[in-house]
Amino acid sequence: MELESILKKYWGYDSFRPLQRDIIESVMSGCDTLGLMPTGGGKSLTFQVPGMAFESGLTIIVTPLISLMKDQVDNLKRRGITAVMLNSGMTTRETRIAWERLCNGRARFLYVSPEKLRNTYFLDELRRLPVRLIVVDEAHCISQWGYDFRPSYLKIADLRKLHPSVPVLALTATATPLVAEDIMHNLAFHGNSRKFKMSFSRDNISYLVRLSENKFYDIFHILSRTEGSGIVYVRSRRKTKEISEFLSASGISAEYYHAGLTYESKVERQNAWQHGNIRIMVATNAFGMGIDKPDVRIVVHADFPPSLEEYYQEAGRAGRDGKKSYAVLLVSKNDKSSLRRKLSLSFPERDEIRRIYEMACNFMNLAIGEGYERLIEFDFELFCETFHIQRQQAIAAFHLLSQAGYLDYIEETESNSRVMITVEREELYGIHTSTEADTTLQCVLRQYPGLFADYVKINEGIISRETGLDHETVYNSLLELNRLKILSYVPRRRTPFVFVSTSREESRYVEIRKSIYEDRFKIMSDRIEAMIDYAYCDDGCRVSRMLEYFGEEKACDCGKCDICRSKKKSSSHVSKEEMIRRVWKYMQMYPAGVTQTVLEQNFTPDDHLAGDALRYLVEEGFAVEDHAIYRLSEYSRS
């Protein structure tokens, strides 16, 4: 089947975006390929389309994001494409079913977490599978120069050895030239490898930096002067709630989101924002990955991101539909020193790192010489409370221990409750259960199709509402049906893990090498200074500065960032009075009203003057505003 036919049949698109076809043709010709595509560039199709174009065989996708892994598997299944995943949060039964499908050729895609590649038995099993393509998502994680280096990614090289003739596709949205070269080196790209790079320029986004003395007020001020949905990013869970409550009290529909919320709350809030029932999501960086909402008009950063890579990725969630959007960074006079202070907190003294390693091993009940390649559930909050350790210090120590190859802390992942019927359909008629369990079973059978073939996500709250049983009764009924082996019930749980890479050593022998400590300190320091330079520079285009950081030479001024706009303003030949007259005449042509965005688009490049003119007309009573629609007042018309 032709590539366009596959694209149309499964995804409904008539044509590919820029570079997608080039990357697809490269991997299908057998070339190792690096794809550098900005956020929203359509990376997933570059491996999903060839995965369906191959007549047979399996595409393996290595990704560190279990939540994104689940979403992509579910999306493929909804399109009638067979896909499975293997990660640390799955039950033994789920893992067995996934392997059966892989061995029987009943899956086209396998999503796997990098930690699984550390298991030699797992790698031996992969050797027997008919692999056609290996995909490395978030490929910057394999580079020690990248902003999110993960040592487990280095094990992908072992996967290559199992299938040396299979092409590798590495994908990332953020990579400097040094990181790109390191990716290709660590993945042992062959001589005929190819690299495709889409420009990191997003012409429809205006990047703005605002010096702020009161960020709460400025967030409200910015959001009240723009329209459409948006995201406000902060660096602490507490602030998400404070800012969202402030916005709600000020008349702007807002909700908050962070990693500590329950699964139900996350899904409910994400869906409400996705469908436009909530305008603004105030969130930590836990929100946004894998979310493809095209009409986000504004992204505000109330706190400093630690790197341009992270800022670019988060700000890039604005304007995926190609329409005019804004990315605003609020900075205060103290942010610069605060960011540099965080750098020192990220690198505890070596003796402190060794002490935290010893306490972690004690917490997991590991004796000297025990623990090699074990995956152990780890309650991080309880660990910090038990040993009276500051959370931020413990996180920093675990990160460095991971870099050094001792312990990998796997962030908590929250999985839905899941059910699978384990008896034949005919056997259901002869079972004997309590009345509540029978009521629950009948509701599950009505509500959720596909239960006899695979695990299906369920929601105990919906079952409770449909049956009239309270939540605890539903839970106990499902446990009863599980004990009777009528179904397999996996309750929802939040599970952080620690992967013990090596057997426990005496803490005095724990080595934190120069490349792990001093070299990475320098890398992180350079990254922070680049972020500070971007935010506090007052000469030269901000976008040009950011693109040069990502290796795009001779970047031209964007004409839309705050620095470029101020230059235009100072050099504009149109007087304020003339612009007011032009805006007033333009609004006469549209008595039903216009939005500020549409008006400014019609006065480019003097859109800043047009906005000022519109505000003048409103303040002086010549125009009125109603739900972001502006029209001339009766007084002005007369």
Side-chain angles (χ1 to χ4, degrees):
M1 189 183 296
E2 293 185 358
L3 295 177
E4 276 77 9
S5 299
I6 293 173
L7 184 69
K8 181 67 174 178
K9 177 180 178 181
Y10 293 103
W11 287 276
Y13 301 127
D14 294 316
S15 60
F16 290 101
R17 294 184 189 178
L19 282 194
Q20 283 182 330
R21 175 176 262 284
D22 296 323
I23 293 173
I24 291 169
E25 290 177 343
S26 176
V27 297
M28 292 196 69
S29 66
C31 295
D32 291 337
T33 306
L34 173 62
L36 303 173
M37 304 175 72
T39 302
K43 293 189 294 294
S44 59
L45 286 181
T46 63
F47 60 84
Q48 290 174 346
V49 170
M52 295 304 295
F54 292 127
E55 292 183 3
S56 62
L58 182 70
T59 296
I60 297 179
I61 305 100
V62 183
T63 176
L65 305 166
I66 294 178
S67 57
L68 183 57
M69 185 188 299
K70 292 174 182 175
D71 289 342
Q72 291 213 5
V73 168
D74 289 341
N75 286 334
L76 287 171
K77 287 181 177 178
R78 282 194 289 270
R79 301 178 191 280
I81 300 172
T82 53
V84 298
M85 61 183 175
L86 291 169
N87 61 63
S88 52
M90 295 170 62
T91 66
T92 303
R93 181 189 287 271
E94 286 178 300
T95 301
R96 189 181 71 246
I97 291 173
W99 274 115
E100 287 174 356
R101 291 190 172 157
L102 291 169
C103 294
N104 294 332
R106 291 166 50 209
R108 302 299 294 270
F109 296 91
L110 166 61
Y111 285 79
V112 61
S113 57
E115 290 78 22
K116 297 288 287 183
L117 301 178
R118 294 189 173 204
N119 188 303
T120 52
Y121 172 78
F122 178 76
L123 287 174
D124 287 340
E125 291 294 305
L126 287 181
R127 188 192 305 273
R128 294 195 283 270
L129 297 178
V131 179
R132 296 296 301 273
L133 176 62
I134 297 171
V135 181
V136 184
D137 198 14
E138 307 295 332
H140 55 269
C141 294
I142 203 172
S143 171
Q144 66 170 327
W145 310 109
Y147 75 93
D148 193 20
F149 173 56
R150 304 190 183 205
S152 56
Y153 257 62
L154 296 173
K155 298 298 290 184
I156 299 173
D158 293 338
L159 179 57
R160 286 224 69 176
K161 294 174 185 176
L162 301 181
H163 302 280
S165 61
V166 172
V168 170
L169 171 59
L171 297 167
T172 179
T174 49
T176 62
L178 181 62
V179 170
E181 290 300 318
D182 207 31
I183 290 170
M184 293 189 287
H185 171 74
N186 288 333
L187 290 173
F189 269 31
H190 296 152
N192 64 343
S193 63
R194 304 182 69 185
K195 179 171 75 173
F196 296 93
K197 181 178 180 181
M198 186 182 293
S199 173
F200 284 84
S201 175
R202 296 283 301 279
D203 294 337
N204 63 309
I205 298 180
S206 296
Y207 290 88
L208 313 172
V209 176
R210 294 281 184 266
L211 186 63
S212 173
E213 295 183 359
N214 186 330
K215 291 189 178 181
F216 278 51
Y217 170 77
D218 285 333
I219 291 168
F220 168 75
H221 181 73
I222 291 166
L223 295 178
S224 63
R225 291 193 167 210
T226 54
E227 57 189 37
S229 65
I231 307 172
V232 176
Y233 277 114
V234 295
R235 306 302 289 183
S236 78
R237 296 179 180 183
R238 175 180 53 83
K239 280 188 180 178
T240 63
K241 185 177 181 181
E242 290 175 350
I243 293 175
S244 70
E245 289 179 347
F246 169 76
L247 292 175
S248 297
S250 303
I252 295 177
S253 171
E255 189 55 273
Y256 66 95
Y257 186 107
H258 57 69
L261 296 174
T262 64
Y263 176 80
E264 286 84 4
S265 293
K266 288 178 185 175
V267 171
E268 180 183 348
R269 295 175 191 199
Q270 180 176 319
N271 287 341
W273 178 80
Q274 196 92 28
H275 295 114
N277 299 323
I278 294 171
R279 182 188 167 206
I280 304 299
M281 187 67 80
V282 186
T284 62
N285 60 1
F287 181 76
M289 189 62 70
I291 295 173
D292 189 15
K293 182 172 170 61
D295 58 344
V296 177
R297 295 277 71 85
I298 185 163
V299 173
V300 179
H301 277 79
D303 290 330
F304 243 111
S307 70
L308 274 172
E309 287 94 334
E310 288 169 80
Y311 179 67
Y312 175 82
Q313 193 167 54
E314 291 167 3
R317 290 176 184 131
R320 291 190 178 185
D321 55 5
K323 296 180 181 179
K324 187 173 183 178
S325 305
Y326 300 90
V328 183
L329 173 62
L330 295 178
V331 301
S332 69
K333 294 177 181 178
N334 298 325
D335 283 342
K336 192 185 301 186
S337 57
S338 297
L339 196 58
R340 287 173 176 149
R341 213 164 33 244
K342 288 178 182 178
L343 173 63
S344 59
L345 293 175
S346 298
F347 288 84
E349 295 293 330
R350 281 183 168 90
D351 285 343
E352 181 63 17
I353 297 170
R354 294 185 183 102
R355 189 176 76 89
I356 290 175
Y357 170 80
E358 183 175 21
M359 289 186 290
C361 290
N362 290 339
F363 188 71
M364 293 183 287
N365 295 316
L366 294 178
I368 301 294
E370 290 184 350
Y372 178 68
E373 289 194 348
R374 279 183 58 187
L375 189 68
I376 301 172
E377 290 191 21
F378 194 92
D379 189 327
F380 198 85
E381 303 302 329
L382 180 60
F383 168 71
C384 293
E385 183 181 328
T386 301
F387 292 97
H388 308 290
I389 307 172
Q390 289 186 350
R391 190 176 191 277
Q392 187 174 359
Q393 187 178 38
I395 288 173
F398 266 72
H399 183 70
L400 291 166
L401 287 166
S402 171
Q403 309 287 315
Y406 291 99
L407 302 174
D408 266 355
Y409 178 65
I410 304 169
E411 293 283 356
E412 62 184 29
T413 59
E414 189 160 10
S415 56
N416 308 68
S417 297
R418 307 183 294 282
V419 161
M420 178 181 179
I421 303 295
T422 54
V423 297
E424 297 296 327
R425 193 180 299 271
E426 297 76 21
E427 296 179 65
L428 289 175
Y429 298 106
I431 62 173
H432 298 285
T433 66
S434 66
T435 302
E436 294 83 359
D438 184 63
T439 302
T440 300
L441 176 60
Q442 296 305 319
C443 180
V444 168
L445 291 169
R446 283 195 311 271
Q447 290 284 333
Y448 303 102
L451 289 161
F452 291 89
D454 199 355
Y455 280 89
V456 175
K457 296 177 184 178
I458 64 167
N459 186 314
E460 289 91 336
I462 293 175
I463 298 171
S464 174
R465 187 185 66 216
E466 293 295 318
T467 60
L469 302 172
D470 61 61
H471 196 282
E472 184 177 357
T473 302
V474 169
Y475 175 72
N476 288 328
S477 297
L478 289 166
L479 289 179
E480 178 184 339
L481 294 166
N482 189 77
R483 285 195 302 271
L484 294 172
K485 298 189 175 1
I486 295 166
L487 53 74
S488 174
Y489 171 50
V490 184
R492 177 180 61 82
R493 63 174 185 168
R494 301 176 66 170
T495 314
F497 293 96
V498 163
F499 181 82
V500 186
S501 311
T502 63
S503 302
R504 177 179 177 177
E505 297 187 17
E506 291 186 38
S507 59
R508 57 180 171 166
Y509 295 129
V510 171
E511 181 185 4
I512 309 297
R513 301 182 302 278
K514 176 179 177 292
S515 61
I516 300 299
Y517 199 88
E518 284 84 1
D519 291 357
R520 290 205 64 76
F521 183 93
K522 176 66 166 57
I523 293 167
M524 194 177 203
S525 176
D526 291 346
R527 200 170 281 128
I528 284 174
E529 291 305 318
M531 187 70 228
I532 289 173
D533 180 60
Y534 167 85
Y536 288 95
C537 72
D538 55 9
D539 62 328
C541 169
R542 294 197 196 278
V543 174
S544 177
R545 193 176 295 263
M546 183 159 53
L547 293 179
E548 286 173 9
Y549 177 82
F550 289 116
E552 293 193 25
E553 299 178 1
K554 299 179 182 177
C556 299
D557 289 357
C558 72
K560 296 186 292 296
C561 71
D562 56 295
I563 293 177
C564 289
R565 287 159 73 101
S566 65
K567 287 180 180 178
K568 282 185 190 177
K569 191 171 184 178
S570 62
S571 61
S572 176
H573 298 297
V574 180
S575 67
K576 180 179 178 180
E577 291 74 17
E578 173 63 16
M579 181 58 73
I580 291 172
R581 187 182 67 81
R582 291 183 186 181
V583 169
W584 184 73
K585 289 188 69 175
Y586 179 83
M587 293 179 71
Q588 282 185 315
M589 297 164 56
Y590 298 95
V594 298
T595 65
Q596 180 173 340
T597 301
V598 169
L599 186 143
E600 288 179 342
Q601 286 174 343
N602 282 273
F603 285 91
T604 303
D606 294 308
D607 53 345
H608 59 285
L609 287 178
D612 291 343
L614 178 63
R615 286 186 285 276
Y616 172 84
L617 290 172
V618 172
E619 290 167 0
E620 296 299 320
F622 294 106
V624 294
E625 183 265 336
D626 181 25
H627 294 88
I629 301 296
Y630 295 85
R631 59 178 66 86
L632 293 178
S633 64
E634 294 297 329
Y635 167 74
S636 179
R637 290 197 188 102
S638 62

